[in-house]
Amino acid sequence: MHSPTLKIHTKINSHYSILDLSGHLPFSIVFGLCRRSPADTDPRPLVLSTAGSVLDVPYALGCGLLTLHVQDGGEAREWVGVDVRTLRDVASMREEESVSLPSPVGRVGNSRHAFTVVRRRVDINGALTSILEVGRKYRIRVAGEDLGVRRWGYSNHDQVVDDNNSNELSNNLEATRLVKSKTTAGNATFTVIRALSWPPRIETRLRLLLLPSSDAADITNRKLDLEVSVLNTSPDAITVQTRGHQRIPIPWGPSQPDPDADDQCPRIIHPTLHIPPPSSLRVFDSATGELVRGDKKQALCGLRDGNADRRPKVEDVVVLRPGLPVIRRFDIGVLVEGLRDGEYKVMLQAKGCRWWHGKEEGEDGRIGACACGVEHAPVMLESDDEVKVCVRDGNVENSV
């Protein structure tokens, strides 16, 4: 006789597409869990213990709850099962951890926003990485429908409670089992590398410039410009991609990139910008702290063709030479136009850029594949600077 089941919508992914064995880029297996079964009508949170379940990595690989495959080197690029027998002796979690899943009762909106995200950090010196090979591509999947949850229950507590508590969690093997709601739950795919290359230190500064009008006697129509300067503090020149798909490691959740992670919009130092890109600057009301200009959500700026040439165009890169700042200036009036009278703070939104040493131009107007084919951590255009402006009667003034 089969025990009753409760379906949990389950997703699995890798936090990054690469596993950096140097440990400088933390790597995790990401799970997403969501209650959306019509049979799930209990309004209380569902609290489960992660020990011994699919969430217990690498124990779940050793006991068969998860599978591990490697992509072979043949033309077919087939996935071949990896021998995980050495993981069978891996102990389950020493300390029991709990995950709370909100009830679907009364839920408003799409269920994709209701996932509970669980990240399981992979120990670079642990049992799992000991069976992985540098340069190989791997894939982890949920093996079957059973999520392997041993203890769970409906409870207003956010932790597993003692068995003698009135809200005790089920520890009966014949009790309702938690299973995934779909045949597939995605996969956590990643490539193992020995060490990720890290960029030199970049200094990014913001300041306001008060520019005179064309009429030297006119002091009322002077213009305020926002100046952005980027300085390469290393002894070597680097090239930075300022527009297009940035082939950099980006963090993922269970099914999509983290907010603002996969932004293809122009960076603020792009050479042909005439107005500041809205995805790179944010304007806050100084009195309330409210964001009044800038992207509140991830900026995608168009879809990307999977077959498109991934080499950046020559006009979409900027060379940062040692000690020579790259400077861009924008009319700050464009950024705050239409705002009500008051004081505002302008800050830079951190953005990552693909980079490489030197600069090579291909015959077709793109950067050579050899120059930009190495996996790097991104150069970050970020700054703690903030500039303050005042809007009065539609005019922009320096508030300092």
Side-chain angles (χ1 to χ4, degrees):
M1 182 177 179
H2 295 289
S3 59
T5 62
L6 178 64
K7 293 183 178 180
I8 304 294
H9 193 28
T10 307
K11 295 183 179 181
I12 183 174
N13 205 348
S14 54
H15 193 204
Y16 289 98
S17 61
I18 56 174
L19 193 163
D20 175 20
L21 291 180
S22 72
H24 289 105
L25 184 70
F27 181 82
S28 301
I29 303 298
V30 184
F31 296 89
L33 303 173
C34 177
R35 294 166 60 189
R36 66 177 192 181
S37 170
D40 191 351
T41 58
D42 196 300
R44 293 173 298 173
L46 187 158
V47 183
L48 61 88
S49 168
T50 60
S53 73
V54 293
L55 306 176
D56 194 349
V57 182
Y59 170 84
L61 285 164
C63 70
L65 290 171
L66 297 175
T67 62
L68 178 65
H69 288 78
V70 62
Q71 194 173 61
D72 67 15
E75 294 183 1
R77 293 289 184 181
E78 295 180 347
W79 292 95
V80 180
V82 176
D83 186 354
V84 294
R85 285 177 295 180
T86 58
L87 300 181
R88 291 178 181 174
D89 295 330
V90 174
S92 180
M93 293 179 175
R94 294 180 179 178
E95 296 183 3
E96 194 169 36
E97 297 179 6
S98 301
V99 173
S100 180
L101 309 183
S103 172
V105 177
R107 179 181 295 154
V108 178
N110 197 300
S111 62
R112 70 171 180 267
H113 302 301
F115 276 87
T116 297
V117 178
V118 181
R119 290 184 170 88
R120 288 301 175 213
R121 180 82 170 265
V122 173
D123 182 2
I124 60 169
N125 297 314
L128 174 56
T129 55
S130 68
I131 64 173
L132 305 179
E133 298 179 30
V134 173
R136 304 296 297 274
K137 190 173 185 177
Y138 293 88
R139 184 173 69 188
I140 295 177
R141 283 182 167 177
V142 179
E145 69 167 13
D146 191 0
L147 299 180
V149 176
R150 299 170 181 171
R151 301 186 66 221
W152 71 273
Y154 297 108
S155 173
N156 291 319
H157 299 267
D158 59 1
Q159 296 290 327
V160 175
V161 294
D162 295 333
D163 287 339
N164 57 2
N165 191 290
S166 59
N167 290 319
E168 68 179 8
L169 303 188
S170 172
N171 195 29
N172 188 339
L173 294 179
E174 299 301 322
T176 301
R177 293 184 302 118
L178 302 184
V179 299
K180 65 182 183 182
S181 61
K182 293 186 176 181
T183 305
T184 60
N187 59 79
T189 303
F190 56 92
T191 300
V192 179
I193 65 172
R194 194 174 304 281
L196 190 65
S197 297
W198 290 83
R201 191 167 68 91
I202 302 297
E203 290 183 356
T204 305
R205 303 303 304 269
L206 303 180
R207 68 168 181 162
L208 282 178
L209 295 178
L210 184 60
L211 304 179
S213 66
S214 56
D215 183 356
D218 184 1
I219 62 173
T220 62
N221 292 319
R222 293 183 296 177
K223 185 168 66 104
L224 273 177
D225 268 12
L226 175 68
E227 180 183 272
V228 181
S229 65
V230 178
L231 178 67
N232 176 10
T233 64
S234 76
D236 302 313
I238 63 170
T239 298
V240 174
Q241 181 178 339
T242 59
R243 185 169 64 180
H245 176 57
Q246 302 280 348
R247 293 191 64 194
I248 55 179
I250 59 173
W252 279 70
S255 60
Q256 61 187 5
D258 288 354
D260 290 323
D262 193 17
D263 182 354
Q264 301 177 40
C265 294
R267 300 310 190 238
I268 199 163
I269 58 170
H270 186 67
T272 60
L273 286 179
H274 300 293
I275 59 174
S279 62
S280 291
L281 292 171
R282 291 186 172 185
V283 181
F284 295 88
D285 187 314
S286 296
T288 65
E290 178 188 2
L291 176 65
V292 295
R293 286 286 190 276
D295 286 352
K296 297 181 180 181
K297 296 183 179 180
Q298 179 181 354
L300 295 177
C301 288
L303 300 177
R304 177 169 54 91
D305 183 356
N307 297 320
D309 194 333
R310 296 187 176 185
R311 298 173 301 151
K313 296 179 181 179
V314 173
E315 61 264 29
D316 291 339
V317 302
V318 169
V319 179
L320 299 180
R321 294 180 172 84
L324 297 176
V326 170
I327 296 175
R328 300 286 184 261
R329 290 173 181 166
F330 306 97
D331 181 359
I332 201 168
V334 175
L335 195 63
V336 298
E337 184 179 4
L339 294 179
R340 64 175 183 269
D341 286 3
E343 292 189 352
Y344 299 90
K345 296 187 298 184
V346 180
M347 303 179 68
L348 189 67
Q349 172 66 33
K351 296 291 179 182
C353 299
R354 182 187 187 185
W355 68 278
W356 55 93
H357 293 286
K359 178 180 179 181
E360 297 181 13
E361 297 183 13
E363 295 179 356
D364 54 356
R366 292 182 180 270
I367 301 298
C370 294
C372 58
V374 180
E375 195 82 60
H376 292 296
V379 160
M380 296 302 298
L381 300 178
E382 55 188 352
S383 177
D384 293 329
D385 292 347
E386 59 181 50
V387 297
K388 298 180 180 180
V389 297
C390 184
V391 177
R392 288 194 179 94
D393 300 324
N395 297 317
V396 185
E397 304 173 1
N398 191 341
S399 66
V400 179

